Amino acid sequence: MLEARGLVKDYRRDRAVDGVDLVVRAGERVALLGPNGAGKTTTLLMILGVVSPDEGAVTICGFDLARHRSQAAECVGFAAGYLPLTERMRVREYLRLYAQLYGIADPHPLIDEGLERFRIADLASAMGTELSSGQRTLIGIVRATLHRPRLLVLDEPTASLDPDVAQRVRGGLLDLCDRDGTAMLMTSHDMSDVIQVCERVVFLSHGRIVADGPPEAVASAYGRGDLEGVFLHLAERHEPTGAQQSDHP
Amino acid sequence: MSQLAAAKPMSTRAKSWLRMRAIARRHAYVLVRSPHRLFDVSLWPLVDVLLFGSLAAFVGTSGSTPAAKASGYLLAGIVLWHVIYQSQIAMSTGLLEETWTRNLLNLMVTPLREVEYLGGVALFGMVKLVIGVGVMVLGALTFFSFHTWSLGFGLVPIVAVLLIVGWAISLFVMGLVLRFGTGAEALAWGVMFVLLPLSGVFYPTKALPALMRPLALALPTTHAFTALRSLVDHRGTDWSQLTIAAAGSAAMLGLSMWFLVAMLRTFRKRGYITRYT
């Protein structure tokens, strides 16, 4: 489904991503974790084709992203807690716009179904500016899933949500993945998201993958009781100390 | 079976057309739901036609032949100037709107191709152009009895050249915005104020200071407006000037496209998307 090989990205001051290899198989739900500045978002942006890697290549659904970005993007849905809704549009108009960008000529049945899945059908005629940040996130997720993507990429999907709404999002995403066999790659700082939704975690630190496996296996490899412990351990190591420290267990 | 699976597969061309219409519709919502933006296609064109029409009327009262000519130049010039203005502003502000509202990432992760996005904003720009220039043509007729269409079919190639120049400038401005961020947006408007006097929109370029004339002659717009004055003077279509204007505008468009592609590559390479997230 997704194959990223040898991804490297240098920004002016430092190396953001340093040789990341990541494979996500059909139907697999993977969390990309790590402290702030570990390279998660840059990795996602390279996988989405928005930032070009200095080295390495990405293949999505068999399409080489560098050469066939549009075809590859048809297989992918993306939502992020920080993304705004397109302004001056009602929710249904907004969802129609993006459905059409994915090549769906008559998206209204899919829009109804998507809104229903996350129990927000009452927002269909609301203007984007009338929505709370949590509602905007939900609409963003509906948008990302309208075209039944084979790979769903989510950056902090529950960042601004109340616990009950976050739970609804997790349920909706699991339902979608189970029904359509959608693969998922998500970042989150909320470990309850990860434990409930993902069957595999990939930890990044200093732009490198330092752990990859089922959540329990990764936690025990680091000698921690849970993922939170691994996260805190890596975050501590991520602080700039001037001395090189190993991020590996 | 899901709706998606049941749907008839669309051809690549049909998908492209669907995406372009979607982008055009998105910008139409912005226009209709932002009353102040409607001024661009209603009030400001009308103000321009009133200003330059009144100047033309004032100049024309002297009764001399050059003055009568100048009044025609002023009105025809301002109407045709809006072809460049509207096409340029509609496309440039199309991209700027995405940056102002941090919508760029939303679009860039979709299958939308760059050329489809440009096609969509150009399509919307054509609608704005028709409305804006339509308002001017009607204003010129109503207030000053100036029949723009009396200039004849020779207007068609002139409009086409000016349209291409407007698009070329907007592609250049878009490239600058991608490279330097929204700080470059001042150029979206500023570049027009440089082009306006140099192109001899209202007067032959021999009226310009001698130092400026070579620069003026290098612009395709100068030749397009020279051809326009030929129509105003009832000398028919000046094909030699139009040929130079067409070649110049095509070269300008090619250069602008190259510049935009290069800036887009830099945008992706340097990860400038983070400016808008």
Side-chain angles (χ1 to χ4, degrees):
Chain A
M1 186 58 49
L2 163 69
E3 191 174 332
R5 294 287 180 203
L7 293 183
V8 172
K9 189 69 208 171
D10 286 327
Y11 288 133
R12 198 167 285 177
R13 292 169 69 183
D14 53 10
R15 176 157 287 192
V17 175
D18 189 8
V20 165
D21 289 302
L22 182 63
V23 174
V24 178
R25 292 167 197 87
E28 198 177 18
R29 299 188 301 270
V30 181
L32 190 61
L33 306 176
N36 289 328
K40 304 183 297 291
T41 298
T42 301
T43 301
L44 289 192
L45 291 175
M46 286 193 280
I47 287 168
L48 293 165
V50 180
V51 170
S52 47
D54 295 331
E55 287 174 35
V58 177
T59 306
I60 296 174
C61 301
F63 293 106
D64 175 9
L65 193 62
R67 289 178 172 203
H68 304 286
R69 193 198 63 80
S70 183
Q71 290 96 323
E74 286 189 13
C75 307
V76 182
F78 173 67
Y82 51 80
L83 274 181
L85 295 193
T86 304
E87 288 192 7
R88 296 184 184 84
M89 296 181 90
R90 295 188 186 282
V91 167
R92 182 175 291 280
E93 294 162 351
Y94 167 81
L95 293 173
R96 182 184 175 209
L97 162 67
Y98 283 91
Q100 292 186 333
L101 294 183
Y102 282 93
I104 303 169
D106 177 21
H108 293 293
L110 291 172
I111 291 171
D112 291 334
E113 189 187 318
L115 292 171
E116 208 54 62
R117 175 179 296 123
F118 292 94
R119 288 181 269 155
I120 47 172
D122 54 315
L123 299 180
S125 57
M127 289 295 286
T129 46
E130 295 167 4
L131 304 179
S132 68
S133 60
Q135 288 170 327
R136 283 200 296 271
T137 303
L138 284 172
I139 299 296
I141 293 172
V142 172
R143 184 209 67 192
T145 55
L146 269 181
H147 60 293
R148 305 261 164 84
R150 292 167 67 189
L151 172 67
L152 187 57
V153 179
L154 302 167
D155 197 4
E156 301 284 351
T158 57
S160 56
L161 302 182
D162 291 338
D164 63 318
V165 184
Q167 192 57 35
R168 206 191 308 169
V169 168
R170 290 179 204 117
L173 292 173
L174 284 172
D175 169 52
L176 184 88
C177 291
D178 289 344
R179 197 195 57 191
D180 295 346
T182 308
M184 189 191 297
L185 177 64
M186 65 183 272
T187 71
S188 182
H189 286 97
D190 182 348
M191 293 305 126
S192 57
D193 267 357
V194 176
I195 290 160
Q196 288 183 51
V197 176
C198 298
E199 58 213 7
R200 183 180 145 210
V201 296
V202 175
F203 266 100
L204 281 179
S205 181
H206 297 100
R208 282 180 232 133
I209 292 177
V210 293
D212 184 347
E216 311 78 36
V218 168
S220 84
Y222 274 84
R224 312 282 153 167
D226 52 25
L227 289 178
E228 192 100 23
V230 180
F231 192 99
L232 291 172
H233 167 77
L234 288 174
E236 220 167 78
R237 299 266 162 164
H238 203 81
E239 296 291 327
T241 58
Q244 189 68 38
Q245 298 183 74
S246 170
D247 296 317
H248 290 273
Chain B
M1 186 182 280
S2 74
Q3 290 277 345
L4 198 62
K8 193 179 160 194
M10 289 175 89
S11 68
T12 307
R13 187 176 292 184
K15 279 183 186 173
S16 285
W17 177 231
L18 183 67
R19 288 176 191 140
M20 283 194 271
R21 280 185 292 143
I23 290 296
R25 194 181 309 109
R26 174 259 192 283
H27 287 286
Y29 282 126
V30 174
L31 179 69
V32 171
R33 290 182 179 152
S34 326
H36 61 283
R37 286 171 198 249
L38 284 169
F39 286 4
D40 282 347
V41 290
S42 55
L43 192 62
W44 305 138
L46 206 56
V47 166
D48 269 353
V49 89
L50 278 172
L51 174 66
F52 286 90
S54 302
L55 266 172
F58 173 68
V59 169
T61 51
S62 74
S64 69
T65 309
K69 271 186 176 182
S71 70
Y73 294 171
L74 282 168
L75 269 165
I78 194 62
V79 171
L80 273 281
W81 175 250
H82 265 257
V83 173
I84 302 184
Y85 177 81
Q86 294 288 352
S87 60
Q88 196 278 119
I89 291 294
M91 278 188 73
S92 299
T93 52
L95 179 72
L96 283 167
E97 179 69 30
E98 314 300 359
T99 63
W100 292 329
T101 58
R102 299 192 301 122
N103 195 45
L104 214 47
L105 182 56
N106 276 328
L107 293 175
M108 288 186 81
V109 298
T110 71
L112 179 71
R113 292 180 174 88
E114 291 80 2
V115 71
E116 292 164 349
Y117 180 78
L118 294 175
V121 286
L123 186 64
F124 169 68
M126 292 294 282
V127 174
K128 274 184 83 176
L129 174 73
V130 168
I131 299 171
V133 174
V135 164
M136 298 196 82
V137 168
L138 281 176
L141 178 68
T142 308
F143 299 122
F144 304 105
S145 303
F146 181 79
H147 297 256
T148 308
W149 55 85
S150 69
L151 298 173
F153 284 106
L155 274 179
V156 175
I158 297 173
V159 167
V161 164
L162 297 178
L163 193 61
I164 290 168
V165 172
W167 287 340
I169 296 169
S170 66
L171 296 183
F172 179 69
V173 171
M174 285 178 180
L176 290 174
V177 170
L178 288 176
R179 174 63 184 81
F180 298 106
T182 47
E185 71 184 73
L187 281 161
W189 289 270
V191 74
M192 305 303 286
F193 292 107
V194 175
L195 207 61
L196 179 66
L198 285 176
S199 301
V201 176
F202 306 116
Y203 42 76
T205 47
K206 65 184 178 193
L208 283 169
L211 200 65
M212 296 287 152
R213 282 180 218 156
L215 191 57
L217 287 173
L219 297 171
T221 41
T222 303
H223 302 281
F225 282 102
T226 303
L228 175 65
R229 281 190 293 278
S230 174
L231 292 180
V232 174
D233 294 342
H234 307 291
R235 287 185 281 116
T237 304
D238 187 338
W239 289 108
S240 63
Q241 288 294 327
L242 267 174
T243 306
I244 299 169
S249 60
M252 209 170 158
L253 188 65
L255 278 172
S256 296
M257 284 170 88
W258 170 83
F259 180 71
L260 179 62
V261 168
M263 291 302 103
L264 190 61
R265 202 176 297 128
T266 304
F267 183 89
R268 285 206 161 100
K269 180 101 185 138
R270 298 195 185 173
Y272 286 156
I273 188 66
T274 50
R275 290 170 172 167
Y276 308 109
T277 57

